[in-house]
DNA sequence: CGGTTATTTGAAATACGTCAATTCAAGTGG
DNA sequence: CCACTTGAATTGACGTATTTCAAATAACCG
């Protein structure tokens, strides 16, 4: 049986080529798209975000973006994927959360404890300095979007705890993939970029790589979802949601810290 | 072999009798002790907290203190234990966190998500309304204490994720007991109140009751810790800490650019 | 193309869950 | 003080989910 050849760039799926736009704005397109999910921004606010493009910085996979007491300031990831994680002496690591293009980190005013933020793919960030200069009043939409994003992050953490504590491996994987589909929000609802190694997913879901691999094979065999070349293809969204047990924080479901 | 008889009140260990104090202040003693862990309060601030005693309210085990979108306001638990939890349709439940005497809930400005706060023992709360009237400046110590408590809560949640995702049952139980010892901060460092059923602990740690029971038996047999009559007795703190696999800040990340 | 890292698969070990029953402690009412 | 009840703790036997070990592809990268 002849397999279709996966796309040439495997782990670059998070890097979207944006050719037709003015350079500065193109950099922060993902950020605008993401913030737009939470609140509508005024033209002035959008311009303020676009201006951040000047501070672009590149990182390679494995780079440490921020460490423990991370007073490194607020940033947005404009392309590529990162994660928050913590590593034990014996090598076990727990990934607390992934950071996808358009999302930020370091907005918490206080140190968050012994965690570090690490690039999982080639990555680009921009600094979020001065975004809120002038206080909440001067940029209401921005402020509300950032606030809402933080709330959603909290909700996601709860979902993650529930996954780790109560769901089976099969349910965990399904639920995780659904969450990612919803977060990444690709134009085509039937597939979305997922430039993660199985090892990274396993460390997030609290499973061994081997077992995650088997579970993914099950999902593939059952015709629910298929991951190939850094892209996840959803073949049966209904069945996938059913396998995931938990409803996603799609609408009114939102959690506090 | 004759066993010592456990204390008569089994699950009441969280209810400390405070007889020698003036009534109003006695109610909130646990709150003052807890906030004192994070910042020193002025006499004026302490009085403000003590005044909350007038709003005392009682709940019985199983009572629902706050529900999903619970805009029920901020409260302190002054005696007894509660938890934040979420229950699945099929009955599985994940306990996200326990709330011990002196700790508060509902301080988040935003709606709680699909979680509820439930009493695990007979419980008393006071409302925290008006605590911060006049803004942060008027009660600096209080404000810093509450802020620090919130940060600690976040850190605890990360610890919990790490427990659920990476630690074995034995390690989970050890780590959990250590955390509780530290939080409850009893006068005698060799024992502390733990008025939780094994079912509650199991639901927090993502284990079945039966297996948790076996793990606790192992810990007892190994001479590390013993739970009896709602009180945990730490017999070998060093070995317990060792079993808990104290996690360390993430490294394993390449410093790159 | 060769070296490296990721994915995939098999077989065996084990950690953990389920089912079912027993014990134990505390409460109730006679 | 003694049946009787109820809920929690405990234990055994057994099934299953998940891990570990080991090795073989397959994909990627310079």
């Amino acid at each position: 049986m002849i397999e279709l050849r996966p796309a040439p760039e495997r782990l670059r799926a998070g890097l979207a080529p944006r050719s037709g736009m003015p350079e500065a704005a193109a950099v922060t397109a993902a950020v605008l798209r993401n913030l737009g999910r939470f609140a509508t921004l005024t033209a002035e606010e959008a311009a303020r975000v676009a201006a951040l493009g000047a501070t672009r910085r590149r990182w390679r996979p494995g780079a440490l973006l921020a460490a423990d007491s991370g007073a490194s300031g607020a940033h947005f990831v404009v392309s590529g994927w990162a994660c928050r994680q913590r590593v034990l002496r014996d090598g076990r690591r727990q990934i607390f959360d992934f950071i996808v293009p358009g999302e930020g980190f370091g907005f918490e005013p206080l140190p968050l404890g012994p965690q570090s933020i690490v690039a999982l793919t080639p990555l680009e960030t921009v600094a979020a300095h001065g975004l809120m200069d002038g206080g909440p009043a001067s940029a209401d939409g921005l402020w509300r979007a950032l606030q809402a994003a933080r709330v959603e992050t909290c909700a996601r953490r709860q979902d993650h705890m529930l996954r780790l504590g109560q769901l089976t491996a099969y349910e965990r994987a399904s639920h995780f993939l659904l969450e990612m589909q919803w977060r990444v929000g690709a134009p085509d609802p039937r597939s979305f970029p997922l430039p993660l190694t199985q090892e990274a997913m396993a460390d997030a879901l609290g499973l061994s790589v081997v077992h995650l691999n088997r579970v993914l094979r099950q999902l593939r065999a059952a015709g629910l979802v298929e991951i190939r070349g850094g892209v996840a293809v959803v073949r049966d969204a209904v069945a996938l949601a059913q396998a995931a047990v938990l409803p996603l924080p799609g609408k009114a479901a939102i959690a506090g810290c």
Side-chain angles (χ1 to χ4, degrees), chain A:
Chain A
M1 182 190 294
I2 296 178
E3 286 254 1
L4 283 179
R5 239 48 199 305
E9 309 206 291
R10 263 199 95 268
L11 289 178
R12 304 279 167 97
L15 295 163
R18 296 173 235 292
S19 39
M21 302 174 87
E23 175 62 24
V27 175
T28 55
V31 178
L32 284 171
R33 184 184 55 70
N34 181 51
L35 292 180
R37 273 177 35 203
F38 299 108
T40 55
L41 306 183
T42 67
E44 200 274 332
E45 287 169 336
R48 214 191 269 199
V49 170
L52 299 178
T55 65
R56 176 164 55 170
R57 195 164 162 193
R58 291 193 168 81
W59 312 78
R60 46 183 53 183
L64 184 64
L65 306 197
D68 300 0
S69 33
S72 57
H75 296 267
F76 288 109
V77 170
V78 297
S79 73
W81 287 42
C83 73
R84 296 172 210 267
Q85 66 174 30
R86 189 146 137 214
V87 180
L88 274 52
R89 282 193 197 80
D90 58 13
R92 286 179 283 184
R93 115 175 129 161
Q94 178 65 45
I95 291 181
F96 299 121
D97 200 3
F98 293 105
I99 305 176
V100 311
E103 297 183 343
F105 62 89
F107 285 89
E108 308 78 14
L110 292 155
L112 275 179
Q115 69 176 347
S116 52
I117 298 179
V118 173
L120 295 173
T121 70
L123 197 72
E124 291 176 311
T125 60
V126 297
H129 286 128
L131 237 200
M132 295 308 298
D133 282 358
S138 79
D140 181 57
L142 265 180
W143 191 82
R144 280 186 299 116
L146 290 175
Q147 193 75 354
R150 194 177 331 185
V151 169
E152 202 200 66
T153 298
C154 264
R156 262 207 309 271
R157 282 244 171 122
Q158 275 193 20
D159 279 353
H160 200 196
M161 274 200 218
L162 216 149
R163 270 198 297 250
L164 292 171
Q166 303 299 324
L167 300 196
T168 68
Y170 193 83
E171 293 165 339
R172 270 184 239 187
S174 307
H175 188 265
F176 171 75
L177 290 173
L178 271 185
E179 178 186 308
M180 282 308 160
Q181 179 185 36
W182 188 73
R183 275 171 75 175
V184 174
D188 174 11
R190 299 189 54 78
S191 80
F192 61 96
L194 190 72
L196 298 175
T197 65
Q198 293 186 0
E199 187 184 4
M201 286 189 268
D203 284 347
L205 297 176
L207 301 169
S208 69
V209 196
V210 174
H211 197 239
L212 175 66
N213 181 291
R214 289 194 234 272
V215 168
L216 290 178
R217 181 164 56 75
Q218 282 183 260
L219 286 170
R220 194 188 321 139
L224 300 196
V225 62
E226 198 163 330
I227 302 177
R228 215 176 41 193
V231 172
V233 180
V234 179
R235 300 223 175 278
D236 187 341
V238 177
L240 188 60
Q242 201 166 348
V245 182
L246 301 173
L248 286 173
K251 30 206 92 165
I254 279 169
C257 219

